[in-house]
Amino acid sequence: MPNSPAPHTTIPGPCTVVCLHFLGGSAREWEPVAALLDGVARIVALDLPGFGDAAAVSGYSVAAMADHVAAGIAAADPGGRWYLAGHSMGAKVALALARRAEDGAPDLAGLAGLVLLGGSPPSPEPMSDDKRREMMEWISADAETRRRKAGEFVDQNTGSPLGEPLRTRAVEDVLRASPAAWTAWLRDGSREDWSRRIGILRMPAVVVGGTEDADLGTAAQKALTLPHLAHGRLVALDGAGHLLPLERPEAVASLIAGLASEEPLLKSEAPTVPEPYRALIESDRVNTRLRAALLARAEPDGSADRPVYLDPVELAQLRAVVDRVLPQDGTGRIDIAAQIEARLAAGTGDGWRFAKLPADGAAYRAALRTLDAAARSVHATGFLCLDGGEQDAFLQAAAAGEPLSHEVPVDGLDAEEMTLWFEDLRSDAVRIYLAHPASLARIGFSGIGAGGDDAETLPGFVRVGIGDPEPWESSALQKSSTLGETGR
């Protein structure tokens, strides 16, 4: 276990927020935010290994940084509910710690939410090789070159020039960073792929991107970070660059205070089965095996937290497609995409496939790659970042057998294959939707009550007239019929 880092900034308040800085920054970047939260929150800002007052501390991998921060959190003793704010590099470390917390790590008990600012995503950070190479070269150059490049680095990462003394302090922080730590992050840490390890987190989270941030702005956050957060919301700061706590401390402080004031989330999000229909399910008119299956389908779907076959970004893409195919209004939505993913992971299916398509799992992943590649080719952004109409245009092209873009990606599907896959997808979505008892109740399907375990003594339907339901059919079934019939 590394030595416990000393908190750089501590402000008393009703809740604690642990804050992690960006590449080349230090705990000092949080001082403008801390001043605004005085009396509202206790800010504990920590230096990551190789930066700020921890420049001499080693351990530059994401896991090593998370260990270092966990020790600092234990030393700060946040107590009760507390929150974690991560900026850029610090956001990736914050996500790793959040996964540990949700997995039950006792030293992280009480973590109640995340604020991620221009965050390095769980997947490898989007940055060109040329930019990485150039940044690694100047950090070890002569003093004059380093100071000039450090100033350029700060200026290039802000939407508008920072005032003094913030700019000078930001440049000083870059210059006192360990070149080894700087290089290790660019070469290794930012490229670590934590997508599957982090999975999908359940705690509430605010994801923030600056519209002028070239690499880690709003689009990158929506496409790469938000899919890992079941209860995340995206906030775009117009005109801001990458150094958000320095550029927009008022907005950041407001978002932190807002998250801390929210009530804890309810765990269950399963669709509600109307009581009359649940009573029918639990009656002796439904056989034991069918009753067990229907009640199991009514439970919240836990498979969404840890996708096995698809990664969280692919699952988010699949959810986006399903939402265009079969929209669901209100709360208590059936997570159709998660159920498809669970089926792909288990290798089960309906027993057939189109001969032109690969196996179901490979077909789904190839189709999602094709949709995303087409979105980037036509709109210069990923499928998740498109609005509903733009997503519909690609899906309508797939249904019509038209090419989605000029080029098919490696391991993608051609136009004919996309049409066949889209037919499969629609079939899977409707089948899963209609298998849920809440859907059966909604359409007024009473066929589940045709006979219990003893078919000889419990007849099915006797009355066959329109508007003449059986006495055992629930009032909910009668009211749900759009034609005045019982929905048999």
Side-chain angles (χ1 to χ4, degrees):
M1 177 68 71
N3 294 329
S4 300
H8 184 277
T9 306
T10 300
I11 296 181
C15 72
T16 297
V17 184
V18 177
C19 300
L20 309 178
H21 59 80
F22 69 104
L23 173 68
S26 78
R28 297 195 304 181
E29 76 156 306
W30 292 97
E31 289 177 1
V33 175
L36 293 166
L37 290 174
D38 189 9
V40 176
R42 172 185 177 233
I43 300 299
V44 175
L46 302 176
D47 287 315
L48 294 169
F51 301 92
D53 292 341
V57 177
S58 61
Y60 309 138
S61 68
V62 174
M65 287 185 174
D67 288 342
H68 177 86
V69 172
I73 293 169
D77 188 19
R81 293 172 66 192
W82 59 280
Y83 300 85
L84 190 53
H87 177 203
S88 190
M89 172 177 69
K92 191 160 191 164
V93 178
L95 286 164
L97 289 163
R99 169 45 61 202
R100 293 187 190 182
E102 289 203 356
D103 287 346
D107 56 341
L108 298 173
L111 178 56
L114 294 169
V115 177
L116 305 173
L117 308 166
S120 180
S123 59
E125 189 174 310
M127 182 187 295
S128 70
D129 290 339
D130 288 343
K131 184 174 180 179
R132 287 180 193 273
R133 188 180 307 109
E134 192 266 342
M135 289 176 66
M136 287 191 286
E137 286 175 353
W138 68 253
I139 196 65
S140 298
D142 60 89
E144 181 181 349
T145 300
R146 285 190 68 198
R147 178 165 291 278
R148 176 171 54 83
K149 287 292 189 178
E152 292 176 1
F153 172 76
V154 171
D155 294 340
Q156 290 167 357
N157 279 283
T158 55
S160 56
L162 281 181
E164 295 295 350
L166 290 179
R167 182 184 182 278
T168 295
R169 293 178 65 185
V171 171
E172 289 174 348
D173 277 340
V174 173
L175 292 173
R176 65 185 181 135
S178 162
W182 175 280
T183 301
W185 177 258
L186 290 168
R187 186 190 62 224
D188 304 318
S190 65
R191 286 171 159 164
E192 290 185 29
D193 192 347
W194 282 68
S195 296
R196 293 192 179 277
R197 280 179 283 184
I198 289 171
I200 299 177
L201 299 167
R202 305 295 296 175
M203 65 182 64
V206 178
V207 179
V208 189
T211 60
E212 300 304 309
D213 187 343
D215 292 325
L216 294 172
T218 310
Q221 300 308 316
K222 185 174 183 180
L224 301 176
T225 299
L226 207 60
H228 292 270
L229 302 163
H231 301 289
R233 63 185 179 94
L234 181 65
V235 176
L237 296 185
D238 190 41
H242 185 62
L243 305 187
L244 301 177
L246 297 175
E247 295 180 74
R248 300 292 176 84
E250 296 86 358
V252 173
S254 177
L255 290 169
I256 290 174
L259 179 64
S261 67
E262 292 177 2
E263 292 297 320
L265 292 166
L266 298 175
K267 291 186 178 298
S268 176
E269 296 177 349
T272 301
V273 179
E275 284 305 318
Y277 202 83
R278 183 174 286 273
L280 173 60
I281 293 173
E282 295 175 346
S283 74
D284 60 1
R285 300 203 66 88
V286 178
N287 72 63
T288 301
R289 289 179 61 190
L290 178 56
R291 182 186 306 114
L294 291 171
L295 292 176
R297 293 172 193 167
E299 291 298 314
D301 186 3
S303 65
D305 292 352
R306 287 290 185 94
V308 175
Y309 190 84
L310 302 177
D311 67 32
V313 172
E314 291 170 329
L315 179 57
Q317 292 169 342
L318 181 56
R319 285 194 175 111
V321 173
V322 170
D323 283 346
R324 304 312 303 170
V325 170
L326 208 165
Q328 298 180 66
D329 297 326
T331 59
R333 292 155 50 91
I334 302 168
D335 197 342
I336 295 171
Q339 293 193 38
I340 292 174
E341 196 281 333
R343 178 176 68 78
L344 298 178
T348 58
D350 51 17
W352 74 281
R353 65 178 174 85
F354 289 106
K356 187 172 176 59
L357 290 179
D360 286 352
Y364 265 88
R365 296 191 79 172
L368 295 173
R369 281 194 297 270
T370 303
L371 284 170
D372 200 55
R376 294 183 187 280
S377 173
V378 175
H379 297 285
T381 191
F383 186 79
L384 286 173
C385 297
L386 303 181
D387 63 33
E390 291 167 334
Q391 292 177 342
D392 285 347
F394 285 116
L395 298 177
Q396 288 163 0
E402 299 170 356
L404 274 61
S405 62
H406 295 303
E407 296 182 5
V408 176
V410 177
D411 298 328
L413 300 182
D414 63 26
E416 181 185 358
E417 291 168 330
M418 283 297 293
T419 300
L420 298 176
W421 168 79
F422 194 47
E423 182 176 333
D424 258 353
L425 176 279
R426 286 176 289 175
S427 174
D428 289 342
V430 171
R431 185 185 303 111
I432 291 170
Y433 178 81
L434 289 178
H436 198 286
S439 301
L440 297 177
R442 185 176 183 180
I443 65 174
F445 181 74
S446 55
I448 62 171
D453 293 323
D454 188 352
E456 293 184 2
T457 60
L458 189 62
F461 291 96
V462 175
R463 299 180 180 181
V464 294
I466 295 176
D468 184 23
E470 299 285 347
W472 50 266
E473 293 185 88
S474 71
S475 59
L477 298 181
Q478 297 173 42
K479 292 178 181 179
S480 67
S481 172
T482 58
L483 298 177
E485 300 179 10
T486 58
R488 296 181 179 142

